Amino acid sequence: MSASVASACHAVAANVAAARSARGRASVRRGGDAVCGARATRVIAPRGNARLGVVMNSMDELDAEAAAVMEQIRQLQEANQKLKEDMDLFAMPEALPQRPDFVPEAGSMQGTSAPKSSFSADVLGMEMPYLGEGETRVGFQHFDKVENEKARMEAMRVEQAARVTGVTPRPPPKYEKTEWPLSIVFVSSEVTPWSKTGGLADVCGSLPRELVKRGHRVMVVSPYYQRGTKEDKYFEGAFDTCSNASVGCFGAAHEVGFMHQIHDGVDFVFVKHDCYERPGGIYVDAMGNAWEDNQFRYTLLSHAACEAPLKINFEGKGTYGDEVVFVANDWHAGLVPLVVASKYRQYWNTYHNARTITVIHNILHQGSEPATTFPNL
C-alpha cells in the first residue's frame, strides 16, 4: 500500500510540473505565426513531461485538477495510516526467551551446554534430555536404533517360538522368599572374583547370591590365597574374625584363621594358612606342576570348613550353628561329608541335624592319592 501511494504521488507531481512549465512557454500557432504571451485556449503538453494521449485544458482547469489530485493523495495517506494502526493489533508477541547457557556443577557428568532454541523445552514446561552434539548425538541415535532393533527381534523371536511350539517362553524368575529358610555352607577351592580357574568359581560366586535373594542364610568357605597376582586385591576387603581354630590332620594340629567379607548378603569366609600364600597358580607352581602338598592343603580346607559354622560369631547374627546344609564342591571339599559323619557326629556330638551334598563339576579331576596317605586325613 505504501509503494502504490508513493508512485501515485510521483506521477501527479510530474504532471503538475509539466503543466506549469508549459504555462510560461505556451504558444498558439495561427497561419504559421507564433503569438507569444497570449492566453492559450489549448496547450499541447510536451511529450517529455506528460503521458501520451493526455491533452491539457486551460490553466484554471489544470489547477483544479491538481487540487483534486492532491486531495486524493491526502485521502490515500490517511487510509494508509489507518491501515498501519489496524495491523498493529495483529503484531506478533515478543520472542520466546532463549534457553540460557547451562553450566554444570562441580563433578557433574552432564554436558557443558544445552543447545539454544527460541522454542525452548523450558518454556513449554518440559524437561528434555541433553544428548550432546555432533558425534555424541549421532552415537546416541545409533544406540537407540540398535536397542530398538534388538527389542523388535526379541519380540519376533518370542512370537515365533510361541507359534511353533505353542508354548510361551518362561518369563524372568521372581525372587519370592521361601517359607523354610536354611543355613547353607558352600565349600570350594575357588570362588570368583577372589580366585578362579574355571566354572567352579563362577558357580560358587553366583549361586549363593541367588539363594540369599530367596531368604536363605549362606556362607562360602574358600582359601585365603595370596599369590602375588591381581586377584589378591579382592581380599583387601576381608577382615580377621579373631575366631582361630585348631584342626588335626596329617599327624599334627594346625591353626587356621578366618577372614570375613560380606558381598550381596553372602558371608564369604576365607581360611588363612601359610600353605595358601605362595607365588604361582592355585593348584600348580610357576612351572605348571601340581603342588606336592595339595592333599594337605585341601584336607585342611575341609576340616576348617566344618569349624567355621561353629566358631565364627557373625556380628548381629551369631553363629550358623550345627543345623546347616554343607555343599561340598569337587574333590577339594570331598572330605566334608566324611568328617561331619565320622568325627563331629560320632565324637563331638554335633551336626546331628546337618545335611551334606557333594557336587561334582569336573569328573576329570578326582584328587587321587596313594592309599597309604589315608591315615593323614
Side-chain angles (χ1 to χ4, degrees):
M1 180 61 71
S2 300
S4 62
V5 171
S7 60
C9 292
H10 286 299
V12 171
N15 288 335
V16 173
R20 289 180 177 176
S21 175
R23 182 176 182 180
R25 300 193 307 271
S27 62
V28 179
R29 295 181 180 274
R30 295 179 181 178
D33 297 329
V35 180
C36 298
R39 192 174 185 84
T41 57
R42 293 183 63 84
V43 178
I44 306 300
R47 292 182 179 274
N49 297 322
R51 290 173 293 174
L52 292 176
V54 177
V55 180
M56 297 297 180
N57 296 325
S58 62
M59 297 309 301
D60 294 337
E61 293 176 350
L62 288 174
D63 292 341
E65 184 177 352
V69 171
M70 294 302 294
E71 177 64 20
Q72 185 179 5
I73 292 175
R74 187 186 64 79
Q75 294 177 358
L76 289 174
Q77 290 176 340
E78 292 180 354
N80 188 41
Q81 182 64 27
K82 186 175 183 304
L83 180 61
K84 287 182 178 181
E85 294 175 355
D86 293 341
M87 291 183 66
D88 288 341
L89 297 177
F90 301 96
M92 293 296 293
E94 296 182 0
L96 296 174
Q98 294 184 348
R99 181 192 297 270
D101 291 340
F102 173 73
V103 180
E105 299 178 356
S108 174
M109 298 299 292
Q110 300 185 27
T112 57
S113 63
K116 295 182 179 181
S117 173
S118 60
F119 198 66
S120 172
D122 291 342
V123 176
L124 300 179
M126 297 184 297
E127 183 67 23
M128 302 296 290
Y130 174 61
L131 300 180
E133 300 176 357
E135 295 181 358
T136 304
R137 178 176 289 273
V138 172
F140 273 109
Q141 293 174 348
H142 177 70
F143 175 79
D144 291 339
K145 290 181 180 179
V146 172
E147 290 301 309
N148 292 337
E149 182 63 18
K150 287 182 179 179
R152 188 181 69 83
M153 295 299 294
E154 180 65 17
M156 291 178 58
R157 186 189 67 81
V158 172
E159 181 180 357
Q160 183 178 6
R163 184 170 59 254
V164 173
T165 64
V167 178
T168 304
R170 185 175 61 183
K174 295 182 179 179
Y175 301 109
E176 298 181 357
K177 297 296 183 180
T178 179
E179 297 180 0
W180 298 280
L182 302 174
S183 294
I184 306 173
V185 180
F186 282 78
V187 186
S188 175
S189 60
E190 57 185 81
V191 55
T192 188
W194 295 271
S195 54
K196 176 181 177 179
T197 62
L200 170 62
D202 293 329
V203 172
C204 293
S206 59
L207 179 57
R209 302 178 190 182
E210 301 302 314
L211 294 174
V212 167
K213 294 178 182 178
R214 288 163 172 78
H216 300 288
R217 188 182 182 188
V218 185
M219 177 198 307
V220 178
V221 182
S222 186
Y224 183 82
Y225 295 111
Q226 293 294 296
R227 301 179 292 118
T229 62
K230 61 181 181 180
E231 284 82 7
D232 292 351
K233 65 180 181 180
Y234 295 113
F235 290 99
E236 295 176 358
F239 62 90
D240 194 344
T241 62
C242 300
S243 304
N244 292 7
S246 179
V247 298
C249 63
F250 279 74
H254 306 275
E255 185 176 3
V256 296
F258 297 104
M259 308 295 289
H260 179 220
Q261 185 171 353
I262 300 176
H263 192 66
D264 290 343
V266 180
D267 293 309
F268 289 93
V269 175
F270 303 104
V271 179
K272 186 175 177 62
H273 191 269
D274 293 341
C275 66
Y276 304 122
E277 301 178 15
R278 61 180 67 163
I282 295 177
Y283 311 114
V284 298
D285 59 19
M287 301 301 295
N289 301 317
W291 294 112
E292 294 182 357
D293 59 347
N294 272 344
Q295 186 185 28
F296 166 74
R297 298 169 75 205
Y298 298 111
T299 298
L300 189 68
L301 174 65
S302 297
H303 284 275
C306 294
E307 288 289 321
L310 304 174
K311 286 283 187 180
I312 304 176
N313 186 4
F314 296 94
E315 184 177 357
K317 296 183 179 180
T319 65
Y320 272 63
D322 63 347
E323 294 186 5
V324 297
V325 177
F326 285 100
V327 181
N329 295 273
D330 274 351
W331 73 265
H332 318 91
L335 286 178
V336 170
L338 176 62
V339 173
V340 167
S342 63
K343 176 181 177 180
Y344 287 89
R345 285 180 184 164
Q346 185 173 356
Y347 297 103
W348 289 23
N349 196 30
T350 186
Y351 287 137
H352 290 288
N353 294 322
R355 296 294 181 266
T356 58
I357 302 173
T358 299
V359 181
I360 299 175
H361 298 262
N362 191 340
I363 194 65
L364 179 63
H365 302 288
Q366 301 181 14
S368 300
E369 296 289 344
T372 55
T373 62
F374 185 78
N376 296 332
L377 306 180

